Amino acid sequence: MDAGSSVEDLFAQTLESSELSQKQKAVLQASLTLFSRQGYDRTSTQEIAELAHVSQGTVYKKYATKHDILEALITPFINEIIPRLAIEFTETIHATRLRDFGDYLTFVVRDRLELVITNRKLVRILLAGVFNNQDEAESLLSRITQAAQGAEKKLSETFSYFQETGQLVDWPALRIVRYTAAAIISHALPAVLMGDDDQIPIDMEQATEDIVTFLQRGLSQNK
């Protein structure tokens, strides 16, 4: 799945299969476009209504506040899209069966970094919801944990090879995943929050190299 379109494509599929009316779908699609283009705080319900070609009354009939729209947008991300992306990526790296841990890290880091950076406008929408609602933050964390646990068996199979060949520290799979994710997020988050939307706000190759170097040192058996 192409990193540049996967998140938006999955959202469109989720929206299309929902039981919402066509006008309600149009409101959410317009909100997604405007929130990602100019930010949640700078978008008005009037602008949403105009882009969706509906009246403001139609917007308020389903969504009492703008935050209700935000919640309606991030719910499918949390409940459906993130778990699906995690499963698909785990199956991909398991099938690839890379035998060098450095090559494995490079593949994982570059792919996940590209996914986050390419979809940085959408990531901001997700973060806006999480930062404004503790329940949504807890739900997101729960879904990410569930996705990692669901992939634990395949990850353990992959990691066990690197551990048996002396390339990887003997840690549980989920601990390795958390360590890796933290390193990627620490590089991606500043670019997501402060980067220029008209150009890639990070040197992907350099960032990948820096993260992989850090992870190899931290995850090596011979530290």
Side-chain angles (χ1 to χ4, degrees):
M1 191 186 309
D2 178 70
S5 61
S6 60
V7 176
E8 291 189 36
D9 288 347
L10 287 175
F11 179 80
Q13 293 169 20
T14 301
L15 193 61
E16 188 58 36
S17 63
S18 72
E19 296 181 356
L20 297 172
S21 69
Q22 289 303 315
K23 287 185 177 180
Q24 291 166 350
K25 292 176 182 178
V27 167
L28 290 185
Q29 190 61 62
S31 301
L32 180 70
T33 298
L34 291 171
F35 289 170
S36 63
R37 181 188 299 164
Q38 60 194 40
Y40 169 75
D41 292 331
R42 293 190 296 274
T43 299
S44 69
T45 53
Q46 178 63 41
E47 290 174 308
I48 293 171
E50 289 175 356
L51 186 60
H53 302 293
V54 301
S55 68
Q56 273 193 286
T58 298
V59 176
Y60 288 129
K61 184 176 180 180
K62 177 67 176 178
Y63 309 106
T65 67
K66 191 170 68 170
H67 188 75
D68 288 340
I69 298 175
L70 180 62
E71 288 186 352
L73 285 175
I74 70 172
T75 295
F77 280 104
I78 293 175
N79 292 340
E80 300 179 48
I81 296 174
I82 289 175
R84 180 172 170 181
L85 287 173
I87 291 171
E88 291 180 353
F89 182 64
T90 301
E91 291 176 346
T92 297
I93 59 176
H94 182 71
T96 304
R97 296 188 181 279
L98 295 168
R99 294 308 185 188
D100 179 82
F101 187 54
D103 291 341
Y104 168 85
L105 282 177
T106 299
F107 177 83
V108 169
V109 169
R110 181 182 291 117
D111 185 277
R112 297 296 86 178
L113 196 59
E114 287 181 352
L115 180 69
V116 173
I117 296 300
T118 303
N119 293 284
R120 58 192 178 279
K121 293 181 181 180
L122 303 181
V123 173
R124 286 190 205 126
I125 295 174
L126 182 60
L127 292 176
V130 168
F131 289 156
N132 283 283
N133 190 298
Q134 183 177 352
D135 290 340
E136 287 165 1
E138 291 175 353
S139 179
L140 176 60
L141 181 59
S142 175
R143 282 294 180 179
I144 292 174
T145 300
Q146 289 174 16
Q149 290 173 339
E152 186 173 8
K153 182 178 179 181
K154 286 187 177 180
L155 289 172
S156 295
E157 292 175 8
T158 300
F159 294 154
S160 64
Y161 170 80
F162 296 128
Q163 290 167 339
E164 290 167 3
T165 54
Q167 301 180 67
L168 176 63
V169 66
D170 188 19
W171 286 356
L174 293 183
R175 186 178 179 186
I176 296 170
V177 170
R178 286 195 297 268
Y179 192 95
T180 302
I184 295 172
I185 291 171
S186 68
H187 277 72
L189 199 56
V192 167
L193 296 176
M194 298 179 289
D196 186 342
D197 288 340
D198 295 327
Q199 59 185 5
I200 299 299
I202 189 173
D203 184 331
M204 300 293 289
E205 291 302 317
Q206 187 62 55
T208 298
E209 182 180 339
D210 291 345
I211 296 169
V212 169
T213 298
F214 171 79
L215 288 173
Q216 283 187 300
R217 292 172 180 170
L219 296 173
S220 171
Q221 277 193 3
N222 302 313
K223 291 187 289 184

